[in-house]
Amino acid sequence: MNQVPPAQPQSMPPAPQQTPRPSDPARTRFIIIWVIVGVMFLGAAASAVGSLQRTVYGARGTVTQYLDALERGDAASALDVPGVKLSGGELKSAGLPENASDKLLRNSVISPVTDAEFVSETTLDDGTHQVTYDFAIGDSEGTAVFDLTKVGGLFGHWEFATSPLAAVNLSVNHTTQFSMNGADFDTRQVAPKDTDAAFDNIVNVLIFTPGNYEFGVDTDYLTADPDEVFADSPGQVEEASVDAEPTDEFIDAAQEQFNAQLDECATQVILQPTGCPFGYEVSDRVSGEPEWSISTYPEISLVPGSNSWEIPNTDAAATIDVSIQSLADGSIDEVTEEVPFKAFGNVYLFSDGTVTAQLLTKETSSNGDDDGDKDEG
């Protein structure tokens, strides 16, 4: 009888091994590390935002934007910074002349600001921020303080509480022409509307601060010593003067016209030439026609008057050749005599460069002259 072998037990698959879980202390350290990293990240982000608020979007950033525009010589961008541009009604409240012109707030006259360096930012009791910068313009250095305020709450913007514009009260004497940092202008460009041209002018012009501005005149006929204004205080009114003087070329042009008018006087065949500063008197009878010639021309100079340039009394002489018949015996004498006289007059310089000399027959100040539509330039 066969015996059945006992059944072999089936082999069972091994039980899966479980990953050991970290102990509670290790897990705690892991969480702490990530919390620290998160806090540091948030702190860095907050610091970056704060830095941007201070340097880019804050009061300091607004000043930097303005100074960068001046460094580039970009007048339009400087005027676009909030709080810079002033309307006519705002000029008075800013302490500036109401008639100050903004027409010279242009690229051609900006003196570029370089080496602008932030110094400090101070908060005043009323919330105004005072931002201080050191700067350089050419060889000159200075410090400028700007007042700014925030408009619109938390998400608002900063603007200048006091506009960084200033003004120059500019006297332009003996001409309407002047230059500003090398660019040429006429007082009628910046004077109030309907202002007539004058020999002496006073105009008010707005300028950017900080800035260095040189005023003068340098043309073929006029010159002036430059007058410099270094403006580093917003809201101030600076003073400048352009005192034009005639050049040798101007005097030569006036001399030529003056001589020509005297020559014209000498063509008259009468004893007292009409409209001329010389003449000859006789008690006897003139026989024939007298002949005049200018023997000594005046060496003129030009001095400023009220409405024009003036030629002051200058020595000159004319020579007359005339035949004189005696009333007593009828005899005729040929007379050649030098007649001294004083030459004087006015000289007008028009804005187109035309020179007009006016010979006068009697000493007259230009105070009483009507120069009509003469545009002194």
Side-chain angles (χ1 to χ4, degrees), residues 151-176:
V151 177
L154 180 62
F155 298 102
H157 68 275
W158 286 88
E159 66 177 37
F160 287 97
T162 300
S163 170
L165 298 180
V168 175
N169 184 52
L170 177 64
S171 298
V172 181
N173 302 315
H174 323 145
T175 181
T176 62

Side-chain angles (χ1 to χ4, degrees), residues 177 348-356 371 373-377:
Q177 297 174 297
Y348 299 94
L349 175 60
F350 294 83
S351 56
D352 63 357
T354 302
V355 176
T356 299
D371 59 0
D373 294 328
K374 293 181 177 67
D375 293 341
E376 291 296 335

Side-chain angles (χ1 to χ4, degrees), residues 36-100:
I36 293 174
V37 169
V39 170
M40 292 176 63
F41 177 79
L42 291 175
S47 177
V49 171
S51 178
L52 287 174
Q53 287 288 348
R54 290 190 302 272
T55 61
V56 177
Y57 301 110
R60 175 179 169 185
T62 301
V63 175
T64 299
Q65 181 183 355
Y66 170 74
L67 294 177
D68 284 348
L70 294 187
E71 184 173 1
R72 299 192 308 272
D74 187 348
S77 294
L79 288 170
D80 282 342
V81 177
V84 175
K85 189 181 298 185
L86 294 173
S87 67
E90 293 170 329
L91 289 171
K92 184 177 181 180
S93 61
L96 299 173
E98 292 182 80
N99 63 351

Side-chain angles (χ1 to χ4, degrees), residues 3 91 126 154 190 202 259 273 289 301 309 350 353 356 373 376:
Q3 293 183 346
L91 289 171
D126 62 358
L154 180 62
V190 295
I202 297 178
N259 291 355
E289 294 181 338
S301 60
W309 294 96
F350 294 83
T356 299
D373 294 328
E376 291 296 335

Side-chain angles (χ1 to χ4, degrees), residues 85-145:
K85 189 181 298 185
L86 294 173
S87 67
E90 293 170 329
L91 289 171
K92 184 177 181 180
S93 61
L96 299 173
E98 292 182 80
N99 63 351
S101 172
D102 62 359
K103 294 181 180 178
L104 300 190
L105 296 173
R106 55 178 69 189
N107 298 354
S108 59
V109 301
I110 290 179
S111 45
V113 175
T114 60
D115 300 326
E117 184 176 343
F118 173 74
V119 176
S120 65
E121 180 174 343
T122 304
T123 303
L124 304 182
D125 293 341
D126 62 358
T128 300
H129 282 217
Q130 283 192 337
V131 180
T132 303
Y133 267 82
D134 287 337
F135 66 90
I137 299 176
D139 296 331
S140 301
E141 296 180 347
T143 299
V145 179

